[in-house]
Amino acid sequence: MICPGFLDRESRRDLIELAGDGSAAHRLARRANALVLLDDGMSCEAISRVLFLDNDTIRTWYQLYQEDGIEGLASFGHEGGSCRLTVEQQDKLKAWIAEALPRTTCAVGAWIARECGIEYQTRSGLIALSHRLGMEHRKPKAVSRKLDPVKQAAFIKKYGNSPGRWTAQAIRMSAIRRSGSAVKV
C-alpha cells in the first residue's frame, strides 16, 4: 500500500503541470497523472482501472519516481538508436566482416560477444548495427556451377576495362570458377 501525501508541494506542482502540458510526451504525462492520483490517496488498482493500465505498471512508476525523481519517471528504459560499440570496436567489426564475410547475423553476434563482450539479443539489432556501419546483410544467393566460361570471359572483356568498376565482381566470379561452389553475391 502506497501512503498518500508522499509528494512535497513543489514536486506535486511540477507533476500536475507536466500532466496538463499538451506538449509533453503522452507517456510521460500519464505517468505524472498517475503519481498525482497516488498522492491524492487513490489505490494502484483504482488508478489502473481509470487509466486502463496494469496496477503493477503504476507501482513501477512510483518506484521509478522514488529512486530518481522526475528524471526516473522520464526514462523509458531503452537506449534507442545509440550504438553500444566504441568507434574502435566498430572499425574492428567492419574489418572482420570484410575479411570473413560471415553468412549469418548469428555469426556477427557471436563475434561481437566474443571480441567486445557485448550481447545483441535480436537479429534486428544486428541488422540495424550493420546498416549504421554502412553495410548491408543479405542472405547468400546460390550461383550455378554450370556457368559458361566463354560468356564470362566476354563479359569481363567488355566491362573489365572500366577503372575499378567490375574488379570485385571479377574476383568473385574467378573464385566461383575455381571453387565450383555457391558464394555470397
Side-chain angles (χ1 to χ4, degrees), residues 7-173:
L7 294 173
D8 59 43
R9 281 184 181 211
E10 185 178 336
S11 297
R12 183 175 173 82
R13 186 182 66 239
D14 291 344
L15 287 172
I16 291 172
E17 189 176 304
L18 188 60
D21 185 7
S23 65
H26 178 71
R27 296 188 305 173
L28 183 56
R30 285 178 61 159
R31 290 178 176 198
N33 190 17
L35 284 178
V36 170
L37 293 173
L38 271 175
D39 189 57
D40 286 342
M42 282 183 77
S43 68
C44 291
E45 292 79 15
I47 296 170
S48 67
R49 281 193 307 272
V50 170
L51 297 179
F52 300 105
L53 297 167
D54 183 62
N55 56 14
D56 286 335
T57 302
I58 307 299
R59 287 185 192 89
T60 301
W61 292 348
Y62 172 77
Q63 194 66 33
L64 286 171
Y65 182 79
Q66 291 295 84
E67 291 171 3
D68 297 320
I70 292 180
E71 290 81 22
L73 207 59
S75 71
F76 294 102
H78 60 82
E79 296 174 9
S82 64
C83 186
R84 299 184 320 191
L85 298 176
T86 66
V87 175
E88 295 81 24
Q89 290 171 329
Q90 290 177 37
D91 291 340
K92 276 179 63 177
L93 176 61
K94 284 168 60 172
W96 177 77
I97 289 174
E99 179 185 324
L101 295 175
R103 295 177 58 90
T104 65
T105 54
C106 290
V108 174
W111 185 91
I112 293 171
R114 185 176 59 252
E115 297 293 322
C116 304
I118 297 172
E119 296 278 339
Y120 275 81
Q121 300 297 321
T122 62
R123 181 175 182 267
S124 61
L126 289 166
I127 291 172
L129 173 63
S130 68
H131 286 221
R132 195 177 300 118
L133 296 175
M135 302 182 151
E136 189 172 329
H137 178 268
R138 295 275 184 199
K139 200 172 191 178
K141 295 179 184 173
V143 177
S144 174
R145 291 182 181 193
K146 300 177 184 177
L147 296 175
D148 185 357
V150 176
K151 287 182 181 177
Q152 285 181 4
F155 177 84
I156 292 171
K157 183 178 179 184
K158 181 176 179 182
Y159 294 106
N161 295 333
S162 301
R165 183 169 177 198
W166 297 101
T167 308
Q169 185 168 358
I171 292 169
R172 284 191 193 117
M173 298 305 279

